[in-house]
């Protein structure tokens, strides 16, 4: 198939690369000329394991190319994917301006039957908005090209996006015609060889499924974080509670790990957008509002724990391991570390931070802030610090050289925001250890 993908960001690029890997001819278009030039040279603008290698393989095979020519992308392909960003507006709703800009371009350049696929995460009702806009512009042009608008939300996890694109657990398709459903079935058939389902439903339900899925996962994280706080109060161990819950088949073991809270480009934005959808439809989503409050409170509690144990933050020297919102990505959007570092600096502490992948995005985010430095080595940030704060659970943090660490640190004090260490082992090494919901 010939496929054009509008937006070569995280979703668009990964989607395009994986479609080309299955033999499709894919053109990814983006308005950022520098990024397009970089990708045409075989360099990925994002950090994602395995992406750049697969991208180069398909560029060499002439199945994947990049361009800034949106009009040509519309004309050359029958299958048009919209994968542009939908950033949160000031009221928490998703901003559709980029989606609608691409839609207008598609409608004005449409030269025959097309299937328009919305891959971006969009509010419920966007499929209809896109359909209505195309219909309006085609009428203005005086042409009557047949077209379909399909909702095909993505469910990728950063850090595992290639694997999950090539072997999806399920594919959600919101289609209003058999023709569109059959076309999507042919496209995804090579990805579903192990019997994973492709669920075809109405577009509105497909849009809702995306928001509901991410909101459900965010809710599981927040409720575990609430459990962790009460565990600290009563002297229970959240690790044993987690195992007890996970062994119940009605609950399962996934997304019940307590920590410093969720971040990233999906959960925070999608939960807020769902809350806004409720407001617009006179239906207050009180559980979702509590999920957001709990997530923010978890970060504040972490800072408070550090403050109390150190007797204040002013003049303290702190090391931070991990700035990305999760391991295996350089994405710092809504990352807990950003709030934690800002709070430390605001109260007069100095911060030395390290992240295996997200140092440059973090530097760009903070700029030249007094009291904040970044290092290329996880041990050098420990020099003469009062405490280490582990924020992101990178593999290299799990089994460090603790004796080497103790020689560098002023105080042998670790605050673990991801519960990656064993409290007993910490005691035996004479390290004062504070985790989330675990015995001190």
């Amino acid at each position: 198939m010939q496929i054009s993908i509008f937006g070569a960001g995280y979703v668009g690029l990964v989607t395009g690369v994986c479609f080309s890997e299955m033999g499709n001819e894919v053109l990814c278009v983006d308005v950022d000329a520098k990024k397009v030039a970089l990708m045409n040279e075989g360099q990925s603008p994002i950090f994602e394991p395995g992406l750049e290698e697969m991208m180069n393989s398909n560029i060499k095979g002439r199945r994947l190319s990049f361009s800034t020519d949106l009009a040509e992308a519309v004309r050359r392909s029958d299958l048009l994917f919209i994968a542009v960003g939908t950033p949160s507006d000031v009221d928490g709703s998703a901003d559709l301006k980029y989606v609608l800009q691409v839609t207008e371009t598609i409608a004005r350049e449409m030269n025959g039957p097309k299937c328009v696929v919305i891959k971006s995460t969009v509010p419920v009702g966007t499929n209809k908005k896109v359909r209505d806009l195309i219909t309006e512009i085609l009428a203005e042009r005086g042409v009557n090209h047949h077209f379909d608008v399909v909702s095909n939300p993505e469910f990728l996890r950063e850090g595992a996006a290639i694997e999950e694109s090539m072997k999806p657990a399920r594919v959600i398709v919101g289609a209003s015609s058999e023709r569109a459903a059959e076309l999507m079935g042919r496209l995804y058939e090579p990805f579903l060889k192990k019997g994973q389902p492709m669920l075809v439903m109405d577009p509105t339900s497909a849009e809702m499924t995306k928001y509901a899925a991410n909101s459900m996962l965010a809710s599981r994280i927040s409720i575990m974080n609430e459990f962790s706080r009460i565990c600290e109060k009563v002297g229970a161990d959240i690790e044993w509670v987690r195992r007890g819950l996970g062994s119940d088949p009605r609950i399962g073991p996934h997304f019940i790990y307590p920590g410093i809270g969720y971040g990233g480009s999906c959960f925070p934005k999608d939960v807020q957008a769902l809350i806004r959808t409720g407001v617009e439809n006179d239906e207050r989503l009180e559980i979702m509002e509590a999920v957001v409050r709990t997530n923010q409170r978890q970060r504040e509690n972490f800072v408070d724990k550090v403050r109390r144990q150190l007797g204040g933050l002013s003049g303290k020297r702190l090391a931070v391991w991990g700035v990305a919102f999760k391991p295996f990505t350089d994405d710092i959007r809504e990352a807990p570390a950003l709030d934690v570092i800002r709070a430390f600096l605001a109260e007069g502490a100095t911060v030395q931070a390290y992240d295996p992948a997200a140092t440059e995005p973090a530097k760009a985010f903070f700029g030249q802030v007094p009291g904040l430095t970044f290092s290329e080595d996880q041990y050098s940030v420990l020099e003469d610090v009062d405490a280490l704060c582990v924020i992101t659970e990178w593999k290299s943090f799990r089994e460090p050289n603790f004796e080497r660490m103790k020689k560098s640190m002023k105080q042998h004090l670790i605050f673990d925001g991801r519960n990656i260490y064993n409290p007993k082992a910490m005691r035996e090494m004479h390290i004062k250890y504070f985790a989330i919901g675990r015995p001190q």
Side-chain angles (χ1 to χ4, degrees):
M1 294 182 181
Q2 283 198 322
I3 302 170
S4 290
I5 297 180
F6 297 85
Y10 187 86
V11 173
L13 181 56
V14 171
T15 300
V17 168
C18 290
F19 281 158
S20 66
E21 182 73 7
M22 288 299 188
N24 298 290
E25 295 181 9
V26 179
L27 172 63
C28 291
V29 291
D30 200 282
V31 295
D32 188 335
K34 290 183 179 180
K35 183 164 71 173
V36 168
L38 188 74
M39 293 185 291
N40 275 321
E41 293 174 0
Q43 299 180 54
S44 172
I46 60 175
F47 178 82
E48 180 64 36
L51 177 61
E52 190 163 282
E53 295 82 355
M54 187 178 288
M55 185 175 82
N56 275 286
S57 172
N58 286 286
I59 291 173
K60 291 177 182 177
R62 298 179 180 274
R63 294 181 297 275
L64 178 65
S65 56
F66 304 92
S67 173
T68 57
D69 192 340
L70 276 68
E72 174 60 23
V74 176
R75 293 191 290 265
R76 77 183 288 275
S77 300
D78 297 326
L79 200 53
L80 310 175
F81 277 76
I82 300 176
V84 294
T86 53
S88 291
D89 219 331
V90 291
D91 62 357
S93 61
D95 188 344
L96 291 176
K97 64 182 177 183
Y98 302 122
V99 170
L100 297 179
Q101 286 172 6
V102 170
T103 299
E104 183 174 348
T105 299
I106 290 172
R108 296 203 180 281
E109 300 297 335
M110 193 178 289
N111 59 344
K114 304 289 181 182
C115 183
V116 179
V117 184
I118 304 173
K119 198 73 172 172
S120 302
T121 299
V122 294
V124 175
T126 301
N127 187 291
K128 184 179 185 302
K129 287 184 180 180
V130 169
R131 179 182 298 278
D132 289 348
L133 181 56
I134 294 175
T135 300
E136 178 185 332
I137 293 174
L138 291 181
E140 289 177 4
R141 292 176 57 199
V143 296
N144 190 29
H145 298 309
H146 178 81
F147 70 93
D148 290 289
V149 180
V150 173
S151 295
N152 177 218
E154 55 84 18
F155 297 93
L156 304 179
R157 286 185 304 153
E158 292 190 40
I162 294 295
E163 180 182 359
E164 293 194 347
S165 291
M166 299 302 292
K167 299 176 182 178
R170 84 289 201 198
V171 173
I172 302 295
V173 172
S176 301
S177 74
E178 289 188 10
R179 174 185 176 276
E182 290 173 0
L183 182 62
M184 296 298 287
R186 291 201 303 273
L187 174 65
Y188 278 109
E189 189 274 334
F191 297 90
L192 304 174
K193 290 297 187 181
K194 293 188 177 181
Q196 312 99 302
M198 187 180 91
L199 302 176
V200 180
M201 60 188 73
D202 63 277
T204 303
S205 296
E207 292 168 337
M208 186 64 193
T209 298
K210 168 65 175 180
Y211 278 143
N214 279 351
S215 295
M216 177 70 78
L217 296 174
S219 299
R220 287 170 68 97
I221 294 170
S222 280
I223 197 169
M224 285 302 296
N225 283 336
E226 288 214 329
F227 292 163
S228 75
R229 294 203 299 270
I230 195 66
C231 281
E232 291 182 7
K233 298 289 187 180
V234 302
D237 188 338
I238 191 63
E239 176 62 14
W240 283 114
V241 175
R242 181 190 67 78
R243 293 184 188 185
L245 290 170
S247 63
D248 186 332
R250 297 170 301 175
I251 299 172
H254 303 295
F255 282 86
I256 59 170
Y257 286 84
I260 197 169
Y262 61 78
S265 63
C266 293
F267 287 6
K269 179 170 71 74
D270 292 355
V271 173
Q272 289 285 7
L274 186 59
I275 291 171
R276 185 61 192 173
T277 299
V279 170
E280 293 170 353
N281 289 275
D282 195 27
E283 191 65 52
R284 185 176 178 183
L285 303 182
E286 296 180 70
I287 292 178
M288 292 298 98
E289 292 173 356
V291 166
V292 174
R293 289 195 301 270
T294 296
N295 193 57
Q296 185 59 36
R297 183 179 175 187
Q298 200 72 359
R299 304 176 187 202
E300 295 166 359
N301 279 10
F302 184 87
V303 173
D304 184 59
K305 187 180 294 184
V306 178
R307 181 191 299 114
R308 283 187 284 107
Q309 293 301 320
L310 291 177
L313 294 172
S314 180
K316 298 298 189 292
R317 191 181 184 98
L318 302 172
V320 169
W321 276 3
V323 182
F325 86 94
K326 63 179 288 187
F328 307 111
T329 182
D330 61 353
D331 194 345
I332 64 169
R333 286 175 288 184
E334 302 292 336
L338 304 183
D339 284 345
V340 170
I341 291 172
R342 280 184 293 208
F344 288 162
L345 295 173
E347 296 192 33
T350 58
V351 178
Q352 301 170 175
Y354 167 76
D355 190 283
T359 296
E360 292 307 315
K363 286 180 177 179
F365 176 85
F366 283 105
Q368 297 295 323
V369 177
L372 175 62
T373 57
F374 292 90
S375 174
E376 298 301 319
D377 174 70
Q378 71 184 64
Y379 292 103
S380 62
V381 298
L382 302 176
E383 190 66 36
D384 204 32
V385 297
D386 293 288
L388 165 65
C389 299
V390 181
I391 310 295
T392 312
E393 64 274 33
W394 286 95
K395 285 184 176 179
S396 64
F397 301 161
R398 291 184 177 273
E399 294 289 342
N401 185 331
F402 287 105
E403 291 305 315
R404 179 181 176 185
M405 293 166 62
K406 288 166 64 177
K407 291 177 181 178
S408 296
M409 300 172 71
K410 184 192 298 182
Q411 298 188 57
H412 303 157
L413 183 57
I414 296 177
F415 296 91
D416 186 353
R418 296 298 180 182
N419 289 7
I420 62 176
Y421 302 132
N422 184 300
K424 181 181 178 181
M426 294 295 101
R427 286 196 299 272
E428 292 173 350
M429 288 187 285
H430 305 290
I431 294 174
K432 197 172 184 181
Y433 177 66
F434 295 89
I436 306 292
R438 305 209 66 185
Q440 307 307 320

